[in-house]
Amino acid sequence: MRKRYVQVDGDLIEVTPEFRQERPATEAHNIIPDINPYQSMATGEMIGGRRQHREHLRQHGLVEIGNETDKLRAWGSWPGRVDWREAVQREMAKRGLQ
């Protein structure tokens, strides 16, 4: 049977499988790694990090899907859900698909 231990002041102490060590938020670090390199769908160039990603989006007027709603709503060019539904229904009606 496996045993679990935690180190307290240099001593190993056996604990039960249900044991969860509490960590104060100030002691826990959250390091987010850089993004993996990818090929831009807009230009074909390789993007190698977050900074280059942000600059590329800015340079080419691109918007990252999933992060676009607040900015576009602020600019007034992002229709609400009802507007999309109505636009799709109008287009389907034009083509006799409804």
Side-chain angles (χ1 to χ4, degrees):
M1 175 176 232
R2 292 177 60 173
K3 296 182 180 182
R4 290 183 57 208
Y5 296 88
V6 294
Q7 188 170 1
V8 178
D9 298 326
D11 296 325
L12 290 177
I13 299 172
E14 186 177 348
V15 295
T16 64
E18 296 81 26
F19 175 79
R20 298 283 181 251
Q21 189 169 5
E22 300 275 334
R23 294 184 185 199
T26 56
E27 288 185 24
H29 297 285
N30 185 16
I31 299 172
I32 300 172
D34 204 358
I35 61 175
N36 293 328
Y38 70 93
Q39 185 174 10
S40 166
M41 294 177 74
T43 64
E45 66 183 293
M46 289 303 292
I47 307 298
R50 290 185 198 283
R51 180 178 176 186
Q52 189 178 5
H53 173 71
R54 286 190 307 268
E55 289 171 358
H56 179 72
L57 293 178
R58 207 172 299 124
Q59 263 180 350
H60 300 286
L62 303 172
V63 178
E64 187 174 2
I65 298 299
N67 297 328
E68 77 281 1
T69 56
D70 292 338
K71 289 180 184 176
L72 290 174
R73 279 196 187 121
W75 296 334
S77 63
W78 185 257
R81 176 175 242 144
V82 174
D83 296 329
W84 280 109
R85 188 176 295 127
E86 290 170 1
V88 169
Q89 288 172 348
R90 274 195 309 272
E91 288 301 315
M92 288 177 69
K94 281 184 198 176
R95 292 169 171 75
L97 300 172
Q98 219 168 12

